[in-house]
Amino acid sequence: MAAEFKQSRRKFLIGGIALAALAGCQTGPRTTEPPPTTQAPTPTPTGPVVETDRLRVAVLAPLTGDNAAVGNSIANAAKMALLDTNNSSIRLSIYDTAASGGANKAVNDALAAGNGLILGPLLSENVRQVAPAARNRGVPVLAFSNDEEVAGDGVYIMGFTPTQSIESSVRYARARGARDFAALVPSGDYGQRAAQAFLRTVNDVNGNARAIETFDRSRAGIDAAVSRVIARQAVDALLIADSGRVASYIAPKIQTGVSLMGTELWAAEDDLGQTSALRGAIYSAVPSARFESLERRYRSRYGSSPFRLASLGYDGMLLAIRASQSWRPGDRFPSSLLRDRGGFEGVDGIFRFNRDGIAERALEVRRVTPGGHEVVQNAASEF
């Protein structure tokens, strides 16, 4: 199913008008509110569409089902980008990857309707379903996934990856005297990527990786992994590569004198400082000031708070709007734009795609405080 969205004309450069609307607020604790209850956009029938005066961009996201709140946040934010830039050169259509037929039907409907750029989908398994059909038509996919394994060959991922967050935090800790490191990582793909990033970066900064302990997400599994890491040689810094909720359970069990580090997952929670053992811990994430502005405006428009990943929909649409300056109706999307080494700027700061199709991002380093967090190292403003 697809819902279409139109706006009146105005040109836009990423970093310009829309970002000015997002600027002007100080970085501070992120407000966490219940998931938005925005209803899915009303579907309209799709079919072959021939347009000579408008570019077609599709958003593929779960508008129903378990991930509907996240998907609708992303879709609504993409619409907001068109509103903020008053752009009329793009016709945006939104397809539900959780509807009957799933991601396969969503992408086939989008391609049949003539969409030349796909934003989404969200889940890595859906990206794998969407990629072949889009590739056969020469249509790039800017997925919202953080799974680096699905990137490449026409697929670009915009999600926040643990790899970059861990690298940033380890380098920050090493520069401030930490030499001996250990890590607690969950079982599964996320934990494997976290462990690989941890080992590689500790080696790159001439540190010592003393231990990596893997746990399943059960109380007994976590307790056993913590006991194993405590029994090993003392370290200067310990990475807890899981959510803030899991970190809040682990931190009080760690001996004092060990600096704690987290990942980008911690950015989703603003109450980490309520756990006294986490105060002073660091983690790296995309800058938050512009998202806080987007969040206020989203709440005013839709009556609920967006999920943090809504910014991916907004920034993906900003990139499409920038492309519209050289992309003509009926032509293929100018994929060379996606390889611009100068990168792009959006709600989440600057980013660019590397040769593997993974978004490289400039991250800030934050320290957990009793009231939320403070920024101890600003994100870079240019590559």
Side-chain angles (χ1 to χ4, degrees):
M1 296 290 188
E4 295 188 344
F5 184 83
K6 307 177 185 177
Q7 282 300 311
S8 59
R9 181 184 181 108
R10 193 172 181 183
K11 291 186 177 180
F12 174 77
L13 281 171
I14 291 182
I17 299 169
L19 293 188
L22 293 170
C25 94
Q26 297 296 317
T27 302
R30 181 173 288 99
T31 300
T32 302
E33 297 192 14
T37 56
T38 308
Q39 295 182 348
T42 303
T44 56
T46 61
V49 174
V50 177
E51 285 201 72
T52 59
D53 62 348
R54 198 176 295 260
L55 303 165
R56 295 190 66 98
V57 175
V59 167
L60 273 59
L63 307 178
T64 55
D66 292 343
N67 296 299
V70 180
N72 279 285
S73 285
I74 291 171
N76 288 335
K79 292 188 289 187
M80 282 184 64
L82 284 179
L83 289 167
D84 289 345
T85 57
N86 203 19
N87 183 281
S88 69
S89 65
I90 292 175
R91 181 189 296 271
L92 172 62
S93 300
I94 302 170
Y95 298 81
D96 185 2
T97 57
S100 178
N104 281 320
K105 184 177 188 303
V107 69
N108 287 327
D109 286 349
L111 294 172
N115 287 283
L117 176 66
I118 291 174
L119 304 181
L122 173 65
L123 303 178
S124 59
E125 57 265 34
N126 287 344
V127 179
R128 291 186 175 92
Q129 294 173 324
V130 163
R135 188 179 303 120
N136 288 339
R137 296 286 289 272
V139 174
V141 174
L142 272 60
F144 305 129
S145 170
N146 70 346
D147 185 351
E148 297 179 359
E149 296 298 319
V150 301
D153 201 9
V155 175
Y156 303 80
I157 64 166
M158 297 185 65
F160 313 131
T161 68
T163 299
Q164 296 174 52
S165 176
I166 291 168
E167 178 180 354
S168 173
S169 294
V170 168
R171 289 184 179 278
Y172 179 87
R174 182 69 181 95
R176 281 147 189 82
R179 178 178 295 275
D180 297 321
F181 295 82
L184 288 164
V185 303
S187 56
D189 292 341
Y190 184 92
Q192 290 176 6
R193 293 198 300 274
Q196 291 168 358
F198 171 78
L199 284 172
R200 183 178 62 252
T201 308
V202 170
N203 181 68
D204 288 346
V205 299
N206 296 317
N208 303 311
R210 298 299 185 187
I212 298 180
E213 295 292 344
T214 302
F215 59 87
D216 61 66
R217 288 187 174 96
S218 67
R219 188 179 296 269
I222 293 172
D223 288 347
V226 171
S227 295
R228 292 194 299 270
V229 81
I230 290 175
R232 292 177 177 268
Q233 180 178 340
V235 295
D236 302 311
L238 172 67
L239 170 70
I240 305 174
D242 210 317
S243 68
R245 181 175 57 83
V246 171
S248 295
Y249 176 75
I250 291 175
K253 303 175 183 295
I254 304 301
Q255 61 267 44
T256 58
V258 178
S259 297
L260 300 180
M261 302 183 299
T263 74
E264 82 294 341
L265 296 177
W266 290 18
E269 301 176 52
D270 68 340
D271 59 352
L272 297 176
Q274 292 183 12
T275 302
S276 59
L278 277 180
R279 295 170 189 169
I282 64 165
Y283 64 98
S284 299
V286 295
S288 62
R290 286 173 177 166
F291 179 78
E292 290 165 359
S293 176
L294 174 65
E295 183 180 40
R296 289 193 298 271
R297 293 166 48 249
Y298 184 107
R299 190 183 303 117
S300 175
R301 178 174 296 277
Y302 295 109
S304 59
S305 291
F307 266 70
R308 183 61 183 83
L309 294 183
S311 60
L312 300 180
Y314 195 97
D315 284 356
M317 183 52 62
L318 291 190
L319 195 156
I321 292 167
R322 172 172 167 176
S324 70
Q325 298 174 4
S326 58
W327 180 22
R328 297 291 175 260
D331 293 343
R332 286 192 173 186
F333 182 87
S335 295
S336 59
L337 173 72
L338 300 176
R339 297 185 288 274
D340 185 343
R341 298 309 294 161
F344 313 93
E345 184 174 12
V347 175
D348 294 320
I350 61 172
F351 68 98
R352 64 183 178 186
F353 296 106
N354 65 20
R355 66 174 63 183
D356 296 320
I358 299 167
E360 297 177 354
R361 296 186 175 276
L363 306 181
E364 64 186 19
V365 181
R366 303 175 186 171
R367 178 184 292 122
V368 177
T369 65
H373 73 262
E374 61 180 350
V375 177
V376 294
Q377 180 174 287
N378 291 322
S381 58
E382 62 182 13
F383 288 109

